[in-house]
Amino acid sequence: ILNVEQSPQSLHVQEGDSTNFTCSFPSSNFYALHWYRWETAKSPEALFVMTLNGDEKKKGRISATLNTKEGYSYLYIKGSQPEDSATYLCAFRDFGNEKLTFGTGTRLTIIP
Amino acid sequence: NAGVTQTPKFQVLKTGQSMTLQCAQDMNHEYMSWYRQDPGMGLRLIHYSVGAGITDQGEVPNGYNVSRSTTEDFPLRLLSAAPSQTSVYFCASRPGQANTGELFFGEGSRLTVL
């Protein structure tokens, strides 16, 4: 079983502040790293799929970086808004494997 | 554009009963999978399929059967439900083997086993 860890487990951030959280994964046999946003009572939706070491991806105020050599990815949210409140999941896929292994997520709450 | 459709959304079963959770996708995706979500455990893979006629076990397959007779459908069967199978179940699909693309999730099915 692959070990995909996310930290912190939960986070409360004041509206307007910026924040970031971490996903760590095995550094060998890397194929892809996914980030998903999961709002309460909805289903997860993809934010980013990252495949290359050093990748940086951005969607609006949310961005992510990838370091496959050391096995971590950061997700950044700039100028947090109440609508950013959600659980953020990362998922790892190793080479030759069809399966995605998910971390347990970081639950983000934005305080108005 | 329906995407991934799961039925039923809610179900209550008694221990020992059987049922099937249905999943259908209209995106011609080769890969389909079932996850269960439990508090503090994240999403855990039950079974997956890389194409019609091919299925394989995930992390927590015990107590569940699957089949993939068509590209569109991937039902999950509980043959004899147990309280430990109380969970929220998500079906997810993506394009085929060489594709690194994202998973598309259904809306989830909340199952309670009494």
Side-chain angles (χ1 to χ4, degrees):
Chain A
I1 295 174
L2 297 170
N3 201 20
V4 180
E5 295 184 350
Q6 292 187 246
S7 62
Q9 273 191 320
S10 66
L11 195 54
H12 289 74
V13 173
Q14 203 70 39
E15 182 177 352
D17 286 352
S18 297
T19 187
N20 65 85
F21 23 93
T22 309
C23 173
S24 63
F25 51 86
S27 56
S28 59
N29 216 26
F30 176 87
Y31 192 64
L33 192 283
H34 296 213
W35 281 102
Y36 291 83
R37 182 169 177 273
W38 192 1
E39 291 182 73
T40 303
K42 295 188 177 180
S43 50
E45 291 184 349
L47 287 170
F48 306 112
V49 177
M50 309 177 80
T51 57
L52 297 175
N53 185 44
D55 249 356
E56 289 188 30
K57 297 217 170 180
K58 189 175 180 182
K59 187 181 286 189
R61 295 178 291 97
I62 304 177
S63 61
T65 61
L66 179 68
N67 183 325
T68 61
K69 294 190 188 309
E70 295 182 43
Y72 64 85
S73 175
Y74 293 132
L75 190 79
Y76 300 91
I77 302 178
K78 187 176 177 182
S80 303
Q81 299 297 309
E83 59 265 28
D84 295 329
S85 294
T87 296
Y88 292 83
L89 298 170
C90 71
F92 170 78
R93 184 177 165 193
D94 58 343
F95 192 82
N97 198 335
E98 292 296 323
K99 299 180 285 189
L100 265 184
T101 300
F102 282 83
T104 54
T106 293
R107 187 183 189 108
L108 176 65
T109 304
I110 306 301
I111 305 164
Chain B
N1 195 6
V4 180
T5 303
Q6 286 182 237
T7 56
K9 287 188 169 44
F10 300 94
Q11 183 73 51
V12 179
L13 289 177
K14 293 182 180 176
T15 297
Q17 285 185 317
S18 63
M19 78 155 301
T20 300
L21 297 176
Q22 301 290 346
C23 177
Q25 52 89 11
D26 61 359
M27 297 174 282
N28 203 31
H29 285 170
E30 293 180 9
Y31 179 89
M32 296 185 74
S33 55
W34 278 101
Y35 287 87
R36 60 178 287 174
Q37 187 254 328
D38 303 292
M41 303 290 285
L43 287 168
R44 292 184 294 168
L45 183 65
I46 305 170
H47 284 286
Y48 67 99
S49 167
V50 299
I54 306 168
T55 63
D56 208 342
Q57 295 181 348
E59 185 184 348
V60 288
N62 292 341
Y64 307 95
N65 281 350
V66 291
S67 58
R68 185 93 181 270
S69 55
T70 67
T71 299
E72 294 78 20
D73 300 298
F74 191 45
L76 179 73
R77 295 185 188 86
L78 285 72
L79 297 177
S80 179
S84 61
Q85 293 178 303
T86 294
S87 189
V88 181
Y89 292 85
F90 286 93
C91 179
S93 72
R94 62 166 169 77
Q97 188 170 355
N99 192 299
T100 57
E102 67 200 67
L103 281 177
F104 292 82
F105 285 84
E107 293 184 341
S109 298
R110 184 175 291 274
L111 175 67
T112 301
V113 183
L114 302 175

